Amino acid sequence: ADRSAPDGLHAKSVPARFFIFSGGILMNFLFALIMVPLLFRIGVPMQVPVAGSVTPGSPAWHAGIEPGSRFAQVETERMHSFADFAATVALSDIQEPLRIQYQSPAGLDSEVQVAARPAEGTGLPELGVGPMPKFEISPDSAATRSGLLPSDRILGFAGVRMEQNPGGAQAVLSEIMLAGAPLPIDIERDGQLQQLKITPELETLEQLQLGVF
């Protein structure tokens, strides 16, 4: 392309080029500002602002943030979902440490200053924190035959809560699945806490199925 063209990109002012390059990010941000309140109003479920995983050696790991930590606020922004947390970090200034308020898995309120790092591939700021696992229920499966509904919120397994101890809950799930024993699954239904037992079914000779994935 001819860089000297009067209507070319390089002839634009610095602010104009900034808006051209960042147009997609800005539109995504504005879309979130409009859509998130609407989604809350109509009751669309969102992933809780809880650390499902923390990468060893990452900024969050060095700051002492553990899996199961619930994020309350980043700088001045309240966290309502994990998407809020991820977007706030990604749109932050990578040169400035973030002030993060959170509740530890033990229930202690904490505050840390964390400097983000560029993510591989995108270069966007990240802290090395992953979301809680999301579960979906297969129709015509052991889960549905045991009374589990698509609207049920899965909290944990055998009394071990995902929000408080994600690794422990997944370990319990794996252990019970390998044993082929009935799985006590903790759910929230219509605001009430319940526990169901799901017996894995032999789908093939090699694999037991719950219908929850």
Side-chain angles (χ1 to χ4, degrees):
D2 185 1
R3 296 194 174 195
S4 64
D7 58 346
L9 176 63
H10 292 277
K12 303 291 184 184
S13 65
V14 172
R17 279 182 284 169
F18 168 79
F19 281 109
I20 291 171
F21 287 127
S22 61
I25 295 175
L26 291 174
M27 285 305 298
N28 288 338
F29 181 70
L30 291 174
F31 179 78
L33 286 178
I34 296 170
M35 288 304 298
V36 168
L38 291 176
L39 293 175
F40 273 117
R41 286 181 65 86
I42 64 176
V44 174
M46 294 185 175
Q47 281 183 297
V48 291
V50 174
S53 62
V54 177
T55 304
S58 67
W61 184 82
H62 283 295
I65 296 174
E66 305 171 76
S69 298
R70 188 182 190 95
F71 301 109
Q73 188 167 318
V74 178
E75 294 296 338
T76 60
E77 299 295 325
R78 300 290 298 176
M79 299 293 102
H80 300 288
S81 68
F82 192 85
D84 286 345
F85 174 78
T88 302
V89 173
L91 292 171
S92 67
D93 184 348
I94 205 165
Q95 304 296 329
E96 298 291 334
L98 292 167
R99 181 172 60 89
I100 299 176
Q101 297 175 21
Y102 69 96
Q103 187 178 72
S104 73
L108 301 176
D109 292 329
S110 303
E111 181 177 312
V112 292
Q113 296 273 345
V114 190
R117 68 181 181 187
E120 292 185 12
T122 66
L124 293 173
E126 68 155 10
L127 297 178
V129 177
M132 295 285 293
K134 289 182 66 177
F135 294 97
E136 296 182 12
I137 301 169
S138 298
D140 191 28
S141 63
T144 55
R145 282 187 281 276
S146 298
L148 194 63
L149 303 177
S151 58
D152 292 336
R153 180 185 170 207
I154 297 175
L155 303 176
F157 307 100
V160 182
R161 292 295 185 89
M162 292 291 297
E163 289 189 11
Q164 299 169 347
N165 188 357
Q170 293 183 64
V172 168
L173 173 61
S174 300
E175 183 178 345
I176 295 177
M177 283 290 291
L178 288 173
L183 173 68
I185 183 168
D186 306 307
I187 66 169
E188 180 182 332
R189 177 181 295 173
D190 299 327
Q192 302 295 318
L193 303 182
Q194 299 184 31
Q195 187 177 82
L196 301 176
K197 283 195 175 182
I198 302 178
T199 301
E201 296 177 355
L202 191 63
E203 182 73 14
T204 67
L205 291 177
E206 295 82 18
Q207 186 174 19
L208 287 166
Q209 297 289 324
L210 280 178
V212 179
F213 60 94

